[in-house]
C-alpha cells in the first residue's frame, strides 16, 4: 500500500496525518505529526462478535515512550510500566469521545492504541492522539460511522486560540480539550480561571469551528486510502417480545420509578426482571428461549418510560423539579486528628473528605516526556464497593477513580494560594461513603470544605454540580443534580465546577447531535444557579478558611536570606544544614533565590532553626553595637567575631580612649567584648571600634540606650548551637 498523507492548519499548528507506512496489519493506522511530536494511532476490531456481553468491549490505551523525549525511565527495570496518571487521563478522553459513536449493538472486541514516539514540548500529544483515533477508525473497515477531531482551546488576552502552545496555555484563562464533528460536540474536558458561562459556550463553539479543516482532510484521506466498511446490522429482538414485555410489566415499572429511595427502586426493578423472565421464558412459555431478548426489551421499556416521564409529564424520580437540588448537609472538623475534614451529603450521595498538610519532602515526583516535575497539590478519589451496596475486592485506583479525582483537583487547584504565601504540600482524599449520582461533584464540595477546615487560604469557595439533558420527541429537559439513573438514560452528562464568580472546571459527554448554542447556554446558566445554591449551603458549615492550621500539622515558615549566604547555611558537603536539622528536628528547603522554608511539627523547632539560620546569614550593620568574641590577637589589633562566621578588625587605636601599647594589655582570645561597626568596605571587610562602643555605653548609662546584639556566647542555647 502506498503511503498517503494530508495536512491541515489548526490555529498556528500544521498537523500532518499519514497512513500506509506504519502498522499496516492493523485495521486502521495513522501517524499524526505536529512539529516534532509524532503519535502512531491504531484501531483493531475482532471479526467475530463476543457472545454473552451486554456492553461494548472497547479498550483504549494511550502510551508515552520516554525515548520520545530522549529519556531513559528512572524505574529499577528501566522500562515503562503501567500507565501513568497522565496516560490514563488521555486514554479516557479518547474512550469517552469514541464509545458513544459506535453503532448500538456492536459487541466485537475493539482496541485503540495511541503511542507517542517523538515529543516536542510545544506540540502536546493528547489532541494529536484524539484526532488520530478518529482518522484510524475512519480508514479502517470497522463500522464506525462518524468523523470527528480533537482540539485544545485556550484564551489569551480575551482572544481564543486553537491548539495553543505551552507558553500560551500558561498565560491563558481557558484550557479545554474537546472532540467534535460538524454537527455535534461529543466530549469536553478542561479548566478555566473563573470565566463566565457565556465565555465557556463561545470557547466550545470556537473549537468546533476550528476543526473543520481536519474534518475535510479526514474525508479526503478516507476516499484515497480507506477500506470498505464491514456489514453490520443490529439484530432485532424476536417478534412479539417488546409488546409482550410491555403488557406484562408496564404498570409495575411505573410503580417502581415512583419509589424515591434508590435501593427500594432497584430492588423492585430487579424483582420485575426475575418475574418477567420466569413468566415469559419459563418452560413451555410463549417466549421460551428468548430470555436475552426479554431482558433487553425490559431495559428498553425502562429507558422509554423514564425519559417520557421527565419530558412529557414533568416528573423526575423523587418528584423533584428539573432545576431542584437534593437536600444538602455539610459538617466540618469531625475527624480530630486530620488536619482538615468534611462530610458532604447530597441526597443519597455522601463524601468524607480529608486534607493533609505536608512539607516539600511530601511532594510527588513526576516523570514524563517533559522531564521531572514535582506536584504540591494532590486530590485522590476512592470509590469503595459498599458505597453502592456491593461486594467487590479492593484494588488500586481504576481509570474512573483517576478521572474523577483529576476533575475535582482541577476545580480546586486555581483557588489555592501561591507557594510563597502557603508553602505546604497539600493532599486531599475523598472517600465516597454513599453514591447515587455525581460523587465527583460531592468530592469537589467536600474537598473545598476540608481545605477551609484545614486553614488553607483559598481565594474563594468552590462547588460542583452534575447536570443532565434529555431530548425526546422535540421536547427538552435540562436536569440539575442528576441521579445515577438519569445519567445512564440521559443524552448529556456534564459536570460544572466553580466559584460564585465563574467556572474553574468542566467535563461534558454528549450522546446526541443537535445540542446547539441555546441549549448549552441554558444548561450552563441552570448549572450556575444550582452551584450558587450549593455554595450557600456549604457556607452554613464554614464561610471562609480558618485563621490557623491544625495543631497536628507541621509548622512552616518561609524566610529569605542573601543569595550570597546560601553556601554558609549549607556548609561544606551540607555539614552545616545537616547539623541544624539534627539539632532542631526541622525540615529545611533552600531555593536558589534565597527563600528558605522551615518546617517542624512544633513551633519551637521552627523558631530554633530560624535563629540558627539568621545567626549564620545576618549582615553587619554600620553603626550597630555587638557583643562579640575575640578570635585572634595581632600586633595591630584584634579580630572579633560579632556573629557566627562573621568577624571584623578592631585596630589597636580603636581599643580604648587612651593609648594602648599592646593589644594583650586590653584583650585576650576568648574575651567577650562590646564593639561598634564603624564601616564595611566593598570587599566586605568590617572595621570595628571598642572605643566608640564604650563611649556610647557610658553616654547611655541610664540603661535606656541601644542594647548590644548578643555575641554567640550570650545567645540562647539554640542560637548558640
Amino acid at each position: 500500500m502506498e503511503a498517503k498523507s494530508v495536512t491541515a492548519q489548526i490555529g498556528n499548528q500544521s498537523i500532518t496525518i499519514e497512513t500506509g507506512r506504519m502498522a499496516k496489519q492493523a485495521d486502521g493506522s495513522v501517524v499524526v505529526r505536529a512539529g516534532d511530536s509524532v503519535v502512531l494511532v491504531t484501531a483493531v476490531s475482532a471479526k467475530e462478535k463476543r457472545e454473552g456481553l451486554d456492553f461494548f468491549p472497547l479498550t483504549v490505551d494511550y502510551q508515552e515512550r520516554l525515548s520520545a523525549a530522549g529519556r531513559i525511565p528512572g524505574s529499577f527495570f528501566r522500562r515503562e510500566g503501567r500507565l501513568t496518571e497522565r496516560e490514563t487521563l488521555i486514554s479516557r478522553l479518547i474512550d469517552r469521545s469514541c464509545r458513544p459513536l459506535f453503532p448500538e449493538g456492536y459487541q466485537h472486541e475493539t482496541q485503540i492504541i495511541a503511542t507517542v514516539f517523538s515529543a516536542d514540548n510545544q506540540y502536546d500529544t493528547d489532541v494529536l492522539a484524539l484526532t488520530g483515533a478518529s482518522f484510524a477508525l475512519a480508514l479502517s473497515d470497522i463500522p464506525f460511522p462518524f468523523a470527528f477531531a480533537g482540539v485544545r482551546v485556550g484564551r489569551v488576552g480575551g482572544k481564543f486560540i486553537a491548539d495553543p502552545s505551552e507558553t500560551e496555555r500558561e498565560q491563558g484563562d481557558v484550557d479545554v480539550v474537546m472532540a467534535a464533528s460538524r454537527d455535534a460536540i461529543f466530549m469536553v474536558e478542561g479548566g478555566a480561571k473563573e470565566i463566565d458561562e457565556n465565555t465557556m459556550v463561545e470557547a466550545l463553539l470556537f473549537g468546533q469551528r476550528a476543526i473543520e479543516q481536519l474534518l475535510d482532510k479526514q474525508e479526503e484521506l478516507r476516499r484515497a486510502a480507506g477500506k470498505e466498511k464491514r456489514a453490520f446490522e443490529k439484530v432485532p429482538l424476536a417478534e412479539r417480545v417488546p409488546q409482550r414485555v410491555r403488557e406484562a410489566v408496564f404498570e409495575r415499572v411505573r410503580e417502581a420509578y415512583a419509589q424515591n429511595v434508590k435501593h427500594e427502586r432497584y430492588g423492585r426493578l430487579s424483582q420485575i426482571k426475575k418475574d418477567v423472565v420466569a413468566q415469559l421464558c419459563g418452560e413451555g412459555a410463549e417466549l421460551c428461549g428468548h430470555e436475552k431478548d426479554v431482558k433487553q426489551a425490559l431495559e428498553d421499556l425502562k429507558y422509554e418510560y423514564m425519559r417520557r416521564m421527565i419530558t412529557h409529564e414533568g416528573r423526575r424520580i423523587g418528584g423533584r423539579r428539573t432545576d431542584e437540588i437534593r437536600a444538602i448537609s455539610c459538617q466540618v472538623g469531625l475527624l480530630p486528628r486530620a488536619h482538615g475534614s468534611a462530610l458532604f451529603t447530597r441526597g443519597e450521595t455522601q463524601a468524607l473528605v480529608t486534607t493533609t498538610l505536608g512539607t516539600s519532602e511530601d511532594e510527588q515526583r513526576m516523570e514524563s516526556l517533559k522531564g521531572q516535575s514535582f506536584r504540591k497539590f494532590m486530590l485522590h478519589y476512592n470509590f469503595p464497593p459498599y458505597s453502592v451496596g456491593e461486594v467487590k475486592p479492593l484494588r488500586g485506583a481504576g481509570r474512573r477513580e483517576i478521572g474523577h479525582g483529576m476533575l475535582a483537583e482541577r476545580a480546586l487547584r486555581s483557588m489555592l494560594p501561591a507557594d510563597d504565601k502557603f508553602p505546604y504540600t497539600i493532599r486531599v482524599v475523598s472517600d465516597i461513603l454513599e453514591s447515587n449520582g455525581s460523587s465527583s461533584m460531592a468530592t469537589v464540595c467536600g474537598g473545598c470544605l476540608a481545605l477551609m477546615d484545614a486553614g488553607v487560604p483559598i481565594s474563594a469557595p468552590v462547588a460542583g454540580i452534575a447536570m443532565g439533558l434529555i431530548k425526546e420527541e422535540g421536547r427538552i429537559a435540562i436536569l440539575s443534580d442528576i441521579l445515577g439513573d438519569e445519567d445512564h438514560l440521559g443524552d448529556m452528562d456534564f459536570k460544572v465546577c466553580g466559584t460564585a464568580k465563574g467556572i474553574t472546571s468542566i467535563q461534558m459527554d454528549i450522546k446526541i447531535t443537535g445540542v446547539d448554542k441555546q441549549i448549552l447556554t441554558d444548561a450552563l446558566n441552570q448549572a450556575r444557579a444550582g452551584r450558587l445554591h450549593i455554595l450557600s449551603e456549604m457556607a452554613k458549615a464554614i464561610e471562609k478558611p480558618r485563621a490557623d492550621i491544625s495543631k497536628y500539622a507541621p509548622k512552616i515558615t518561609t524566610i529569605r536570606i542573601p543569595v550570597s549566604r546560601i553556601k554558609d547555611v549549607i556548609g561544606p558537603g551540607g555539614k552545616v544544614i545537616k547539623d541544624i536539622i539534627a539539632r532542631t528536628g526541622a525540615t529545611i528547603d533552600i531555593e536558589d533565590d534565597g527563600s528558605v522554608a522551615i518546617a517542624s511539627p512544633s513551633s519551637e523547632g521552627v523558631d530554633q532553626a530560624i535563629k540558627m539560620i539568621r545567626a549564620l546569614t545576618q549582615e553587619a550593620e554600620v553603626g550597630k553595637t555587638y557583643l562579640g568574641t575575640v578570635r585572634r590577637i595581632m600586633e595591630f589589633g584584634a579580630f572579633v567575631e560579632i556573629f557566627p562566621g562573621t568577624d571584623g578588625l578592631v585596630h589597636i587605636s580603636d581599643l580604648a580612649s587612651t593609648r594602648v601599647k599592646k593589644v594583650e594589655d586590653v584583650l585576650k582570645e576568648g574575651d567577650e567584648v562590646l564593639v561598634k561597626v564603624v564601616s564595611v568596605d566593598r570587599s566586605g571587610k568590617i572595621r570595628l571600634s571598642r572605643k566608640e562602643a564604650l563611649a556610647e555605653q557610658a553616654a547611655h548609662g541610664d540603661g535606656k540606650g541601644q542594647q548590644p546584639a548578643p555575641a554567640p556566647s550570650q545567645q540562647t542555647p539554640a542560637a548558640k548551637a
Side-chain angles (χ1 to χ4, degrees), residues 1 19 23-29 43-44 47 135-143 221-230:
M1 178 181 174
T19 190
K24 295 188 289 294
Q25 293 190 44
D27 292 337
S29 67
V44 177
K47 302 300 186 288
F135 271 79
L137 289 166
L139 294 170
S140 74
D141 63 344
I142 302 170
L221 192 59
R222 188 194 64 78
R223 288 195 303 267
K227 300 175 183 177
E228 184 179 350
K229 295 296 183 182
R230 304 176 196 172

PDB file of all heavy atoms in Angstrom, residues 1 19 23-29 43-44 47 135-143 221-230:
ATOM      1  N   MET A   1       0.851  -1.205   0.000  1.00  0.00           N
ATOM      2  CA  MET A   1       0.000   0.000   0.000  1.00  0.00           C
ATOM      3  C   MET A   1       0.880   1.247   0.000  1.00  0.00           C
ATOM      4  O   MET A   1       1.805   1.368   0.808  1.00  0.00           O
ATOM      5  CB  MET A   1      -0.923   0.009   1.233  1.00  0.00           C
ATOM      6  CG  MET A   1      -1.796   1.243   1.332  1.00  0.00           C
ATOM      7  SD  MET A   1      -2.828   1.173   2.820  1.00  0.00           S
ATOM      8  CE  MET A   1      -3.593   2.780   2.759  1.00  0.00           C
ATOM      9  N   THR A  19      -0.917   7.656   6.409  1.00  0.00           N
ATOM     10  CA  THR A  19      -1.290   6.257   6.540  1.00  0.00           C
ATOM     11  C   THR A  19      -0.610   5.451   5.441  1.00  0.00           C
ATOM     12  O   THR A  19      -0.213   6.001   4.411  1.00  0.00           O
ATOM     13  CB  THR A  19      -2.822   6.077   6.459  1.00  0.00           C
ATOM     14  OG1 THR A  19      -3.163   4.733   6.814  1.00  0.00           O
ATOM     15  CG2 THR A  19      -3.356   6.377   5.062  1.00  0.00           C
ATOM     16  N   ALA A  23       2.479   0.131  10.708  1.00  0.00           N
ATOM     17  CA  ALA A  23       1.419  -0.674  11.324  1.00  0.00           C
ATOM     18  C   ALA A  23       0.331  -1.032  10.317  1.00  0.00           C
ATOM     19  O   ALA A  23      -0.862  -0.852  10.571  1.00  0.00           O
ATOM     20  CB  ALA A  23       0.824   0.061  12.530  1.00  0.00           C
ATOM     21  N   LYS A  24       0.740  -1.591   9.184  1.00  0.00           N
ATOM     22  CA  LYS A  24      -0.216  -1.832   8.091  1.00  0.00           C
ATOM     23  C   LYS A  24      -1.130  -3.023   8.352  1.00  0.00           C
ATOM     24  O   LYS A  24      -2.119  -3.197   7.645  1.00  0.00           O
ATOM     25  CB  LYS A  24       0.560  -2.024   6.782  1.00  0.00           C
ATOM     26  CG  LYS A  24       1.312  -0.770   6.320  1.00  0.00           C
ATOM     27  CD  LYS A  24       1.898  -0.920   4.937  1.00  0.00           C
ATOM     28  CE  LYS A  24       3.067  -1.883   4.898  1.00  0.00           C
ATOM     29  NZ  LYS A  24       4.241  -1.392   5.664  1.00  0.00           N
ATOM     30  N   GLN A  25      -0.800  -3.881   9.337  1.00  0.00           N
ATOM     31  CA  GLN A  25      -1.675  -5.028   9.612  1.00  0.00           C
ATOM     32  C   GLN A  25      -2.819  -4.685  10.560  1.00  0.00           C
ATOM     33  O   GLN A  25      -3.724  -5.499  10.751  1.00  0.00           O
ATOM     34  CB  GLN A  25      -0.848  -6.187  10.175  1.00  0.00           C
ATOM     35  CG  GLN A  25       0.129  -6.753   9.147  1.00  0.00           C
ATOM     36  CD  GLN A  25       0.775  -8.044   9.609  1.00  0.00           C
ATOM     37  OE1 GLN A  25       0.100  -8.922  10.141  1.00  0.00           O
ATOM     38  NE2 GLN A  25       2.076  -8.149   9.409  1.00  0.00           N
ATOM     39  N   ALA A  26      -2.779  -3.503  11.138  1.00  0.00           N
ATOM     40  CA  ALA A  26      -3.927  -3.036  11.929  1.00  0.00           C
ATOM     41  C   ALA A  26      -5.081  -2.736  10.987  1.00  0.00           C
ATOM     42  O   ALA A  26      -4.893  -2.444   9.805  1.00  0.00           O
ATOM     43  CB  ALA A  26      -3.538  -1.796  12.722  1.00  0.00           C
ATOM     44  N   ASP A  27      -6.305  -2.797  11.512  1.00  0.00           N
ATOM     45  CA  ASP A  27      -7.466  -2.480  10.672  1.00  0.00           C
ATOM     46  C   ASP A  27      -7.404  -1.040  10.172  1.00  0.00           C
ATOM     47  O   ASP A  27      -7.846  -0.735   9.069  1.00  0.00           O
ATOM     48  CB  ASP A  27      -8.762  -2.701  11.465  1.00  0.00           C
ATOM     49  CG  ASP A  27      -8.997  -4.175  11.753  1.00  0.00           C
ATOM     50  OD1 ASP A  27      -8.458  -5.017  11.017  1.00  0.00           O
ATOM     51  OD2 ASP A  27      -9.720  -4.475  12.723  1.00  0.00           O
ATOM     52  N   GLY A  28      -6.869  -0.158  11.013  1.00  0.00           N
ATOM     53  CA  GLY A  28      -6.671   1.241  10.615  1.00  0.00           C
ATOM     54  C   GLY A  28      -5.505   1.803  11.392  1.00  0.00           C
ATOM     55  O   GLY A  28      -5.358   1.526  12.590  1.00  0.00           O
ATOM     56  N   SER A  29      -4.638   2.571  10.733  1.00  0.00           N
ATOM     57  CA  SER A  29      -3.499   3.159  11.440  1.00  0.00           C
ATOM     58  C   SER A  29      -3.105   4.465  10.770  1.00  0.00           C
ATOM     59  O   SER A  29      -3.161   4.594   9.546  1.00  0.00           O
ATOM     60  CB  SER A  29      -2.306   2.206  11.457  1.00  0.00           C
ATOM     61  OG  SER A  29      -1.786   2.017  10.158  1.00  0.00           O
ATOM     62  N   ALA A  43      -6.201   1.111  15.216  1.00  0.00           N
ATOM     63  CA  ALA A  43      -7.523   0.612  15.611  1.00  0.00           C
ATOM     64  C   ALA A  43      -7.696  -0.788  15.048  1.00  0.00           C
ATOM     65  O   ALA A  43      -7.452  -1.023  13.858  1.00  0.00           O
ATOM     66  CB  ALA A  43      -8.624   1.530  15.095  1.00  0.00           C
ATOM     67  N   VAL A  44      -8.093  -1.715  15.911  1.00  0.00           N
ATOM     68  CA  VAL A  44      -8.321  -3.099  15.502  1.00  0.00           C
ATOM     69  C   VAL A  44      -9.601  -3.584  16.165  1.00  0.00           C
ATOM     70  O   VAL A  44      -9.831  -3.323  17.349  1.00  0.00           O
ATOM     71  CB  VAL A  44      -7.147  -4.014  15.913  1.00  0.00           C
ATOM     72  CG1 VAL A  44      -7.443  -5.464  15.533  1.00  0.00           C
ATOM     73  CG2 VAL A  44      -5.839  -3.553  15.275  1.00  0.00           C
ATOM     74  N   LYS A  47     -13.097  -9.848  14.311  1.00  0.00           N
ATOM     75  CA  LYS A  47     -14.013 -10.154  13.203  1.00  0.00           C
ATOM     76  C   LYS A  47     -15.284 -10.835  13.689  1.00  0.00           C
ATOM     77  O   LYS A  47     -16.329 -10.746  13.051  1.00  0.00           O
ATOM     78  CB  LYS A  47     -13.308 -11.053  12.181  1.00  0.00           C
ATOM     79  CG  LYS A  47     -12.036 -10.446  11.595  1.00  0.00           C
ATOM     80  CD  LYS A  47     -12.315  -9.136  10.883  1.00  0.00           C
ATOM     81  CE  LYS A  47     -11.072  -8.591  10.175  1.00  0.00           C
ATOM     82  NZ  LYS A  47     -10.057  -8.074  11.105  1.00  0.00           N
ATOM     83  N   PHE A 135      -9.260   9.331  12.775  1.00  0.00           N
ATOM     84  CA  PHE A 135      -8.703   9.028  11.454  1.00  0.00           C
ATOM     85  C   PHE A 135      -8.493   7.525  11.292  1.00  0.00           C
ATOM     86  O   PHE A 135      -8.823   6.947  10.241  1.00  0.00           O
ATOM     87  CB  PHE A 135      -7.373   9.763  11.258  1.00  0.00           C
ATOM     88  CG  PHE A 135      -7.513  11.142  10.680  1.00  0.00           C
ATOM     89  CD1 PHE A 135      -7.889  12.213  11.478  1.00  0.00           C
ATOM     90  CD2 PHE A 135      -7.265  11.378   9.336  1.00  0.00           C
ATOM     91  CE1 PHE A 135      -8.011  13.493  10.958  1.00  0.00           C
ATOM     92  CE2 PHE A 135      -7.392  12.651   8.795  1.00  0.00           C
ATOM     93  CZ  PHE A 135      -7.765  13.717   9.606  1.00  0.00           C
ATOM     94  N   ALA A 136      -7.934   6.863  12.306  1.00  0.00           N
ATOM     95  CA  ALA A 136      -7.674   5.429  12.211  1.00  0.00           C
ATOM     96  C   ALA A 136      -8.973   4.649  12.044  1.00  0.00           C
ATOM     97  O   ALA A 136      -9.052   3.703  11.249  1.00  0.00           O
ATOM     98  CB  ALA A 136      -6.922   4.953  13.458  1.00  0.00           C
ATOM     99  N   LEU A 137     -10.017   5.033  12.790  1.00  0.00           N
ATOM    100  CA  LEU A 137     -11.306   4.364  12.662  1.00  0.00           C
ATOM    101  C   LEU A 137     -11.941   4.641  11.298  1.00  0.00           C
ATOM    102  O   LEU A 137     -12.548   3.756  10.687  1.00  0.00           O
ATOM    103  CB  LEU A 137     -12.246   4.827  13.780  1.00  0.00           C
ATOM    104  CG  LEU A 137     -11.903   4.321  15.189  1.00  0.00           C
ATOM    105  CD1 LEU A 137     -12.676   5.099  16.247  1.00  0.00           C
ATOM    106  CD2 LEU A 137     -12.183   2.830  15.314  1.00  0.00           C
ATOM    107  N   ALA A 138     -11.797   5.874  10.815  1.00  0.00           N
ATOM    108  CA  ALA A 138     -12.384   6.228   9.521  1.00  0.00           C
ATOM    109  C   ALA A 138     -11.743   5.447   8.379  1.00  0.00           C
ATOM    110  O   ALA A 138     -12.413   5.052   7.416  1.00  0.00           O
ATOM    111  CB  ALA A 138     -12.239   7.728   9.283  1.00  0.00           C
ATOM    112  N   LEU A 139     -10.429   5.197   8.465  1.00  0.00           N
ATOM    113  CA  LEU A 139      -9.714   4.488   7.398  1.00  0.00           C
ATOM    114  C   LEU A 139      -9.886   2.982   7.476  1.00  0.00           C
ATOM    115  O   LEU A 139      -9.632   2.271   6.501  1.00  0.00           O
ATOM    116  CB  LEU A 139      -8.216   4.826   7.469  1.00  0.00           C
ATOM    117  CG  LEU A 139      -7.856   6.287   7.162  1.00  0.00           C
ATOM    118  CD1 LEU A 139      -6.395   6.550   7.505  1.00  0.00           C
ATOM    119  CD2 LEU A 139      -8.121   6.610   5.701  1.00  0.00           C
ATOM    120  N   SER A 140     -10.318   2.474   8.625  1.00  0.00           N
ATOM    121  CA  SER A 140     -10.465   1.034   8.821  1.00  0.00           C
ATOM    122  C   SER A 140     -11.779   0.528   8.241  1.00  0.00           C
ATOM    123  O   SER A 140     -12.618   1.307   7.775  1.00  0.00           O
ATOM    124  CB  SER A 140     -10.419   0.718  10.321  1.00  0.00           C
ATOM    125  OG  SER A 140     -11.646   1.119  10.936  1.00  0.00           O
ATOM    126  N   ASP A 141     -11.946  -0.801   8.306  1.00  0.00           N
ATOM    127  CA  ASP A 141     -13.221  -1.385   7.885  1.00  0.00           C
ATOM    128  C   ASP A 141     -14.186  -1.533   9.050  1.00  0.00           C
ATOM    129  O   ASP A 141     -15.253  -2.129   8.926  1.00  0.00           O
ATOM    130  CB  ASP A 141     -12.983  -2.745   7.223  1.00  0.00           C
ATOM    131  CG  ASP A 141     -12.375  -3.751   8.194  1.00  0.00           C
ATOM    132  OD1 ASP A 141     -11.865  -3.330   9.258  1.00  0.00           O
ATOM    133  OD2 ASP A 141     -12.389  -4.963   7.886  1.00  0.00           O
ATOM    134  N   ILE A 142     -13.819  -1.001  10.214  1.00  0.00           N
ATOM    135  CA  ILE A 142     -14.679  -1.063  11.396  1.00  0.00           C
ATOM    136  C   ILE A 142     -15.907  -0.183  11.154  1.00  0.00           C
ATOM    137  O   ILE A 142     -15.776   0.952  10.677  1.00  0.00           O
ATOM    138  CB  ILE A 142     -13.900  -0.583  12.643  1.00  0.00           C
ATOM    139  CG1 ILE A 142     -12.643  -1.448  12.854  1.00  0.00           C
ATOM    140  CG2 ILE A 142     -14.780  -0.605  13.884  1.00  0.00           C
ATOM    141  CD1 ILE A 142     -11.702  -0.900  13.909  1.00  0.00           C
ATOM    142  N   PRO A 143     -17.093  -0.661  11.471  1.00  0.00           N
ATOM    143  CA  PRO A 143     -18.315   0.121  11.192  1.00  0.00           C
ATOM    144  C   PRO A 143     -18.478   1.290  12.155  1.00  0.00           C
ATOM    145  O   PRO A 143     -19.385   1.315  12.992  1.00  0.00           O
ATOM    146  CB  PRO A 143     -19.433  -0.912  11.358  1.00  0.00           C
ATOM    147  CG  PRO A 143     -18.883  -1.921  12.309  1.00  0.00           C
ATOM    148  CD  PRO A 143     -17.408  -2.004  12.019  1.00  0.00           C
ATOM    149  N   LEU A 221      -8.684  11.821   2.990  1.00  0.00           N
ATOM    150  CA  LEU A 221      -7.812  10.660   3.182  1.00  0.00           C
ATOM    151  C   LEU A 221      -8.612   9.366   3.161  1.00  0.00           C
ATOM    152  O   LEU A 221      -8.139   8.335   2.662  1.00  0.00           O
ATOM    153  CB  LEU A 221      -7.057  10.799   4.511  1.00  0.00           C
ATOM    154  CG  LEU A 221      -5.888   9.831   4.743  1.00  0.00           C
ATOM    155  CD1 LEU A 221      -4.828   9.986   3.655  1.00  0.00           C
ATOM    156  CD2 LEU A 221      -5.267  10.049   6.120  1.00  0.00           C
ATOM    157  N   ARG A 222      -9.836   9.410   3.674  1.00  0.00           N
ATOM    158  CA  ARG A 222     -10.676   8.203   3.653  1.00  0.00           C
ATOM    159  C   ARG A 222     -10.995   7.788   2.220  1.00  0.00           C
ATOM    160  O   ARG A 222     -10.957   6.600   1.885  1.00  0.00           O
ATOM    161  CB  ARG A 222     -11.971   8.461   4.428  1.00  0.00           C
ATOM    162  CG  ARG A 222     -12.833   7.212   4.622  1.00  0.00           C
ATOM    163  CD  ARG A 222     -14.224   7.562   5.073  1.00  0.00           C
ATOM    164  NE  ARG A 222     -14.942   8.323   4.059  1.00  0.00           N
ATOM    165  CZ  ARG A 222     -15.493   7.783   2.970  1.00  0.00           C
ATOM    166  NH1 ARG A 222     -15.390   6.484   2.723  1.00  0.00           N
ATOM    167  NH2 ARG A 222     -16.132   8.550   2.104  1.00  0.00           N
ATOM    168  N   ARG A 223     -11.295   8.766   1.373  1.00  0.00           N
ATOM    169  CA  ARG A 223     -11.581   8.442  -0.023  1.00  0.00           C
ATOM    170  C   ARG A 223     -10.349   7.874  -0.725  1.00  0.00           C
ATOM    171  O   ARG A 223     -10.452   6.979  -1.564  1.00  0.00           O
ATOM    172  CB  ARG A 223     -12.071   9.685  -0.765  1.00  0.00           C
ATOM    173  CG  ARG A 223     -13.471  10.136  -0.384  1.00  0.00           C
ATOM    174  CD  ARG A 223     -14.028  11.124  -1.413  1.00  0.00           C
ATOM    175  NE  ARG A 223     -13.158  12.287  -1.556  1.00  0.00           N
ATOM    176  CZ  ARG A 223     -13.313  13.420  -0.878  1.00  0.00           C
ATOM    177  NH1 ARG A 223     -14.319  13.533  -0.008  1.00  0.00           N
ATOM    178  NH2 ARG A 223     -12.496  14.432  -1.069  1.00  0.00           N
ATOM    179  N   ALA A 224      -9.173   8.357  -0.352  1.00  0.00           N
ATOM    180  CA  ALA A 224      -7.947   7.932  -1.034  1.00  0.00           C
ATOM    181  C   ALA A 224      -7.414   6.605  -0.517  1.00  0.00           C
ATOM    182  O   ALA A 224      -6.832   5.821  -1.289  1.00  0.00           O
ATOM    183  CB  ALA A 224      -6.876   9.011  -0.880  1.00  0.00           C
ATOM    184  N   ALA A 225      -7.594   6.323   0.774  1.00  0.00           N
ATOM    185  CA  ALA A 225      -6.929   5.145   1.344  1.00  0.00           C
ATOM    186  C   ALA A 225      -7.822   4.333   2.279  1.00  0.00           C
ATOM    187  O   ALA A 225      -7.352   3.352   2.864  1.00  0.00           O
ATOM    188  CB  ALA A 225      -5.674   5.584   2.097  1.00  0.00           C
ATOM    189  N   GLY A 226      -9.080   4.695   2.419  1.00  0.00           N
ATOM    190  CA  GLY A 226      -9.947   3.994   3.346  1.00  0.00           C
ATOM    191  C   GLY A 226     -10.411   2.638   2.839  1.00  0.00           C
ATOM    192  O   GLY A 226     -10.490   2.393   1.640  1.00  0.00           O
ATOM    193  N   LYS A 227     -10.715   1.745   3.784  1.00  0.00           N
ATOM    194  CA  LYS A 227     -11.219   0.416   3.462  1.00  0.00           C
ATOM    195  C   LYS A 227     -12.751   0.433   3.450  1.00  0.00           C
ATOM    196  O   LYS A 227     -13.382   1.274   4.090  1.00  0.00           O
ATOM    197  CB  LYS A 227     -10.731  -0.595   4.489  1.00  0.00           C
ATOM    198  CG  LYS A 227      -9.216  -0.720   4.591  1.00  0.00           C
ATOM    199  CD  LYS A 227      -8.827  -1.665   5.714  1.00  0.00           C
ATOM    200  CE  LYS A 227      -7.314  -1.754   5.880  1.00  0.00           C
ATOM    201  NZ  LYS A 227      -6.931  -2.624   7.021  1.00  0.00           N
ATOM    202  N   GLU A 228     -13.299  -0.523   2.747  1.00  0.00           N
ATOM    203  CA  GLU A 228     -14.760  -0.662   2.741  1.00  0.00           C
ATOM    204  C   GLU A 228     -15.221  -1.157   4.108  1.00  0.00           C
ATOM    205  O   GLU A 228     -14.626  -2.069   4.691  1.00  0.00           O
ATOM    206  CB  GLU A 228     -15.184  -1.643   1.658  1.00  0.00           C
ATOM    207  CG  GLU A 228     -16.694  -1.778   1.522  1.00  0.00           C
ATOM    208  CD  GLU A 228     -17.090  -2.744   0.422  1.00  0.00           C
ATOM    209  OE1 GLU A 228     -16.189  -3.151  -0.355  1.00  0.00           O
ATOM    210  OE2 GLU A 228     -18.280  -3.097   0.338  1.00  0.00           O
ATOM    211  N   LYS A 229     -16.275  -0.559   4.622  1.00  0.00           N
ATOM    212  CA  LYS A 229     -16.758  -0.891   5.957  1.00  0.00           C
ATOM    213  C   LYS A 229     -17.392  -2.280   5.991  1.00  0.00           C
ATOM    214  O   LYS A 229     -18.040  -2.712   5.038  1.00  0.00           O
ATOM    215  CB  LYS A 229     -17.788   0.145   6.430  1.00  0.00           C
ATOM    216  CG  LYS A 229     -17.233   1.549   6.612  1.00  0.00           C
ATOM    217  CD  LYS A 229     -16.192   1.594   7.722  1.00  0.00           C
ATOM    218  CE  LYS A 229     -15.677   3.000   7.974  1.00  0.00           C
ATOM    219  NZ  LYS A 229     -14.627   3.054   9.007  1.00  0.00           N
ATOM    220  N   ARG A 230     -17.200  -2.967   7.090  1.00  0.00           N
ATOM    221  CA  ARG A 230     -17.840  -4.261   7.296  1.00  0.00           C
ATOM    222  C   ARG A 230     -19.352  -4.066   7.399  1.00  0.00           C
ATOM    223  O   ARG A 230     -19.830  -3.056   7.898  1.00  0.00           O
ATOM    224  CB  ARG A 230     -17.371  -4.914   8.596  1.00  0.00           C
ATOM    225  CG  ARG A 230     -15.894  -5.099   8.746  1.00  0.00           C
ATOM    226  CD  ARG A 230     -15.578  -5.660  10.136  1.00  0.00           C
ATOM    227  NE  ARG A 230     -14.169  -5.499  10.449  1.00  0.00           N
ATOM    228  CZ  ARG A 230     -13.638  -5.747  11.642  1.00  0.00           C
ATOM    229  NH1 ARG A 230     -14.424  -6.180  12.620  1.00  0.00           N
ATOM    230  NH2 ARG A 230     -12.347  -5.575  11.841  1.00  0.00           N
TER     231      ARG A 230
END
